[in-house]
Amino acid sequence: MPSCWEKSGWGDNDFAFTTTTDAHSGTKAMKVALTRRVSGDRKALITESASCAPAVTTGKQYDLGLWYKTTTPDAAITLFRHDTTAGWQYWTDLKTLDMQGSWTQASVRTPEVPAGTDRITWGVSVYGTGSATTDDYTMDKVADTLPPPTCTGTADQCANGKWDVLPTQNPVRSMHSVVLKNGKVLLIAGSGNSEENFNAGTFTSAVYNPATGSYKVIPTPKDMFCAGHVQLADGRVLVMSGNKAFPVAGGHGYEGYKDSYIFDPDTETYSKTNDLNDGHWYPSATELGNGDIISFGGLREDSSGSVTAERWSAAQQAWLPLWQVNQTWSFWGLYPSMILMQDGRLFYSGSHVFGNGTPGTGSAIYDYDANTTTAIAGLQNKDQRDQSASVLLPPAQDQKVLTIGGGNIDSNPDANRLTDLIDLKAANPSYVAGPQIPQGTVDLGNGPVAETGNQGKMYVSAVLLPDGKVLETGGGLHNRANPVFEASIFDPDTSTFDPVAADPQARGYHSSAFLLPDGRVMATGDNPGNGTWNHNVSIYTPPYLLKGTRPTITSVIDNEWVYGDTQRITVDRPIAKAELIRPAAVTHSSDPNQRYVDLPLSVDGNNVDLNVTSNPNLAPPGWYMLFAVDANGVPSVAKWVHLQGPSALAAETSSAHVHSFADSLEGKVTEPGKKKTSQKVSTTISGCDRHYGTINVCVPTAFPDGVKKTTASRCAWLRKNDYGRLKINGKDDPLGLDPNKDQLACGKADLKRR
């Protein structure tokens, strides 16, 4: 090898490193060839040493260039970085190289150098049969071009952002929010957790238009309350299951039906698909790299837990029959957070809805093809992560997941401040404790007071922002009670939270927050235990929108994009980065498909070539928001682009470039269990005692700590939280709220008796 160059690579392949006289300049060039490949790659890299690898400065960017020839479409510029604490590690693939028979120049700009990085190295990796010959490598530091930002609001707003409550209320009791490919927002209510609406067959959705602030109420064919939903590759929305029946005191619990529907953003109508194999009230929904959808968990038609995995076929546009879907016959819970990894496996983060986590460590990696589940260690207090939030941190190429907060509606302790981080690029990944979320104020029934001790929040919303950070907002301290007013922004580069302005509206159970194409964040809903609903809508303007003029994407040459392609845009001034952000499909703190995919840049004045990942598992097919962001972190308004599925890949492409991560798992490996029909689930799974009040009222089965087990103490808590008069359903009174047995809870006579 030439001085300061080394051989590198991994996997099962036959390869050769040679020097050749067929050079771009001088007399020698490097050639890397694969003659057989099952997995992995081979690459020539600048030697990973202080004497060879070039030094870099944190926060700066560098233009990397080289000349190349290739006989394979499977070649990419691959970048590594030296972390002063963790040592050398893979950073990202910057650019897929087109096949070229003559010498061709390639250039690409690195992302901003992360904190703790002092050196980088790079080279061309070959991950398909064929060869790449390279010569004349260059590296140039990108000059600083932007003046300091100019604050356009008050000093507090520029530091913390601002919230505005919109003058027009959301007309429906929506608990599902889906940002559509046209920038509008589908808000699904179904019955809206209202017994009256359910009995009347009144099921609603609405489409919100951020451009006009208007709503259009949409006829909805069935009770999609607590369904699953996900955007398909063509931008339509797949909605699966929903509420077949509300619980009955002393009888069955919630029931999930088998029906499935598709919402078309163009016509704003629903149409029915074929049925699921089982009922799934509160199912997961994750898109795979080939456009298929996989779904787990939820409640069946008989109120028991569904152990049936479901798979939607993108090719057949239908749910596959049971015998065509791999089954573990295990109950994954309700809205289990299943995040697609870069190699096609699924990471179950431990975030879920209602009660305890799954048995074992509470987190796992599921390999669909092998049909095995491997336990992942480290998740703190796994049985108090009910309605926590989990997100794949920006950029998706880093394969890091953050889990935030949570509680437990069964035992109803104070919700916590815990966060956990995991790097799925590690050979044997495990969670490590992250920084605790900041504390805010909590309304315990007499107005907001400062949180104390370890008080945190459940019902957390987490939103990926265009500047590469994460907004966490909303939440409550207890089961459908005691809203917490706090928001902060998490910086993945520094693993720190920065407190920002809090939403003035309560955002607990059935709330959601999500990114709009203009870079603002919209928050809706709140459904406390007394059955009321908050129809007010809040809009958050992050600090980056108060830093002066925004960059503008003046043109996108083509909005139909192909994996491994280079797409050109023009901008009105220099930008530091560009990314694709998958539009939200969120409910109950859960949006496992949310992701931010970095687009490495090749810059020529105002013309910017964006290098699209060749790996569909990093960016599953569909419509994405394209943002351009300047060096001050100020984003453009998004343009919509359509990333096509694997069929768009060149026919000769052997596979996407997938590094060998999470390949030495040491957790307990579980094979599929014995076939069974369901998992028994308590009728109080939602944490509500149905012996009291109407169906949309939730009297907790366990009261918060500090509430004594007496009629007076429990009734005082209910009164403080505005429950009003509660009828007794049936003859049972398990919480002792009706000592005089007049079928009314917490009456004056009841309080005299206890």
Side-chain angles (χ1 to χ4, degrees):
M1 297 294 287
S3 175
C4 276
W5 287 85
E6 64 183 8
K7 301 173 183 177
S8 183
W10 62 278
D12 180 5
N13 48 69
D14 294 336
F15 58 90
F17 291 87
T18 59
T19 56
T20 174
T21 57
D22 180 17
H24 173 253
S25 68
T27 59
K28 291 182 179 179
M30 283 187 295
K31 184 176 182 179
V32 180
L34 291 186
T35 54
R36 180 190 64 86
R37 182 202 185 255
V38 176
S39 63
D41 66 32
R42 296 293 152 180
K43 47 190 168 279
L45 288 177
I46 301 169
T47 304
E48 296 175 336
S49 70
S51 60
C52 292
V56 292
T57 303
T58 296
K60 302 302 181 181
Q61 293 179 280
Y62 296 83
D63 284 329
L64 309 180
L66 56 86
W67 289 81
Y68 77 96
K69 291 181 177 182
T70 53
T71 63
T72 173
D74 299 328
I77 298 176
T78 300
L79 181 63
F80 291 76
R81 68 183 186 90
H82 182 258
D83 188 281
T84 53
T85 301
W88 284 101
Q89 53 191 276
Y90 167 77
W91 186 0
T92 189
D93 288 336
L94 288 173
K95 181 182 181 71
T96 300
L97 300 179
D98 296 330
M99 289 181 64
Q100 296 290 349
S102 58
W103 284 106
T104 303
Q105 188 175 27
S107 64
V108 67
R109 183 165 292 180
T110 70
E112 293 178 346
V113 174
T117 300
D118 61 354
R119 295 183 181 276
I120 63 171
T121 181
W122 77 96
V124 173
S125 56
V126 179
Y127 55 98
T129 55
S131 66
T133 305
T134 59
D135 199 1
D136 293 340
Y137 285 68
T138 61
M139 173 176 169
D140 295 293
K141 185 178 180 180
V142 178
D144 296 330
T145 56
L146 275 184
T150 301
C151 176
T152 58
T154 66
D156 179 69
Q157 290 172 344
C158 290
N160 301 312
K162 64 175 183 175
W163 289 89
D164 295 293
V165 180
L166 297 183
T168 304
Q169 291 186 321
N170 180 354
V172 301
R173 293 166 59 106
S174 63
M175 56 204 65
H176 306 269
S177 303
V178 184
V179 178
L180 304 172
K181 66 177 183 178
N182 53 19
K184 297 179 181 180
V185 183
L186 173 64
L187 301 164
I188 303 175
S191 67
N193 196 18
S194 164
E195 185 180 27
E196 293 78 15
N197 288 343
F198 183 82
N199 291 335
T202 304
F203 308 132
T204 56
S205 304
V207 171
Y208 171 69
N209 187 346
T212 61
S214 61
Y215 295 85
K216 176 183 177 182
V217 176
I218 304 295
T220 304
K222 205 153 185 177
D223 190 6
M224 295 175 180
F225 155 53
C226 296
H229 43 66
V230 63
Q231 291 100 336
L232 297 173
D234 60 7
R236 295 176 303 156
V237 181
L238 178 65
V239 183
M240 62 205 74
S241 193
N243 179 44
K244 179 184 177 185
F246 281 94
V248 175
H252 64 78
Y254 283 102
E255 297 176 350
Y257 54 72
K258 296 181 180 180
D259 300 49
S260 177
Y261 294 85
I262 287 180
F263 179 82
D264 187 334
D266 295 331
T267 62
E268 296 183 343
T269 58
Y270 289 97
S271 60
K272 197 173 186 307
T273 71
N274 67 319
D275 286 350
L276 297 147
N277 293 294
D278 204 1
H280 297 272
W281 184 73
Y282 279 68
S284 72
T286 304
E287 187 186 16
L288 304 179
N290 68 348
D292 285 6
I293 307 298
I294 193 162
S295 178
F296 301 90
L299 298 186
R300 306 176 71 232
E301 292 179 309
D302 62 0
S303 298
S304 62
S306 176
V307 298
T308 301
E310 307 274 6
R311 185 158 182 158
W312 169 271
S313 168
Q316 300 179 37
Q317 289 292 292
W319 292 103
L320 294 176
L322 188 64
W323 62 272
Q324 292 184 15
V325 184
N326 287 346
Q327 301 292 334
T328 63
W329 307 115
S330 57
F331 179 52
W332 287 91
L334 305 184
Y335 287 136
S337 178
M338 310 292 285
I339 296 171
L340 180 66
M341 295 169 57
Q342 56 89 43
D343 61 1
R345 289 178 292 177
L346 294 168
F347 174 59
Y348 170 52
S349 70
S351 288
H352 62 282
V353 174
F354 295 161
N356 293 344
T358 58
T361 62
S363 178
I365 287 177
Y366 173 61
D367 187 331
Y368 178 85
D369 292 331
N371 207 20
T372 57
T373 303
T374 305
I376 296 298
L379 181 65
Q380 302 173 88
N381 290 22
K382 77 171 185 69
D383 289 334
Q384 291 188 25
R385 309 316 289 266
D386 177 354
Q387 287 176 96
S388 58
S390 292
V391 289
L392 182 65
L393 289 171
Q397 287 91 335
D398 280 1
Q399 292 287 282
K400 293 180 179 178
V401 173
L402 172 69
T403 297
I404 307 171
N408 186 310
I409 62 162
D410 290 342
S411 54
N412 213 6
D414 288 351
N416 61 69
R417 301 174 60 195
L418 300 176
T419 73
D420 298 270
L421 289 159
I422 189 168
D423 183 354
L424 297 172
K425 297 193 307 298
N428 184 38
S430 64
Y431 268 118
V432 296
Q436 292 193 324
I437 56 175
Q439 290 179 304
T441 59
V442 56
D443 189 344
L444 298 174
N446 296 311
V449 296
E451 287 190 292
T452 59
N454 292 317
Q455 290 178 333
K457 58 185 183 179
M458 58 195 297
Y459 311 122
V460 186
S461 289
V463 183
L464 301 183
L465 301 176
D467 63 352
K469 299 177 182 179
V470 182
L471 172 71
E472 62 83 13
T473 182
L477 188 62
H478 295 111
N479 175 19
R480 299 184 66 176
N482 309 130
V484 172
F485 300 91
E486 180 275 336
S488 65
I489 291 177
F490 179 79
D491 186 341
D493 288 340
T494 60
S495 290
T496 56
F497 285 97
D498 178 23
V500 295
D503 188 343
Q505 297 289 314
R507 302 291 180 204
Y509 188 56
H510 286 156
S511 68
S512 56
F514 46 90
L515 180 68
L516 295 173
D518 63 7
R520 298 179 301 163
V521 174
M522 179 172 170
T524 69
D526 179 53
N527 186 197
N530 62 22
T532 58
W533 188 273
N534 184 358
H535 286 272
N536 290 322
V537 174
S538 303
I539 297 290
Y540 178 59
T541 301
Y544 55 59
L545 293 181
L546 300 168
K547 291 183 177 180
T549 306
R550 306 175 67 171
T552 300
I553 301 174
T554 55
S555 73
V556 179
I557 291 179
D558 187 359
N559 69 356
E560 290 291 336
W561 287 18
V562 175
Y563 291 103
D565 204 357
T566 299
Q567 288 288 342
R568 172 161 291 189
I569 65 171
T570 57
V571 291
D572 65 340
R573 56 189 176 86
I575 61 170
K577 59 185 175 183
E579 73 273 348
L580 298 177
I581 296 184
R582 187 177 175 91
V586 60
T587 186
H588 293 77
S589 304
S590 181
D591 185 0
N593 298 286
Q594 190 179 188
R595 57 186 54 216
Y596 171 121
V597 183
D598 183 51
L599 298 169
L601 315 176
S602 300
V603 180
D604 180 12
N606 286 357
N607 294 322
V608 181
D609 287 338
L610 306 177
N611 298 282
V612 184
T613 179
S614 61
N615 185 354
N617 294 323
L618 283 176
W623 285 87
Y624 285 80
M625 293 180 284
L626 166 65
F627 288 95
V629 185
D630 71 18
N632 289 327
V634 180
S636 67
V637 173
K639 298 286 188 180
W640 287 94
V641 298
H642 186 215
L643 186 55
Q644 300 177 55
S647 60
L649 290 167
E652 64 270 25
T653 300
S654 60
S655 71
H657 195 190
V658 176
H659 285 266
S660 182
F661 300 145
D663 57 351
S664 300
L665 300 177
E666 296 177 359
K668 180 182 177 182
V669 180
T670 304
E671 303 280 343
K674 291 183 178 180
K675 183 176 180 179
K676 57 181 180 178
T677 57
S678 65
Q679 174 85 22
K680 287 187 177 180
V681 173
S682 168
T683 56
T684 61
I685 191 170
S686 62
C688 307
D689 195 318
R690 299 300 175 188
H691 292 92
Y692 307 95
T694 59
I695 202 66
N696 53 311
V697 169
C698 178
V699 174
T701 55
F703 283 76
D705 293 341
V707 179
K708 297 178 181 179
K709 295 181 179 180
T710 64
T711 301
S713 184
R714 287 171 169 169
C715 289
W717 187 90
L718 292 169
R719 183 170 60 253
K720 187 182 289 187
N721 285 276
D722 301 318
Y723 274 77
R725 293 170 64 86
L726 297 171
K727 292 184 178 180
I728 307 296
N729 301 313
K731 298 180 179 179
D732 294 328
D733 179 21
L735 297 177
L737 304 181
D738 184 30
N740 74 343
K741 301 187 185 303
D742 65 353
Q743 296 297 290
L744 287 175
C746 299
K748 291 183 178 180
D750 297 320
L751 298 180
K752 290 179 181 179
R753 287 171 172 258
R754 290 282 179 95

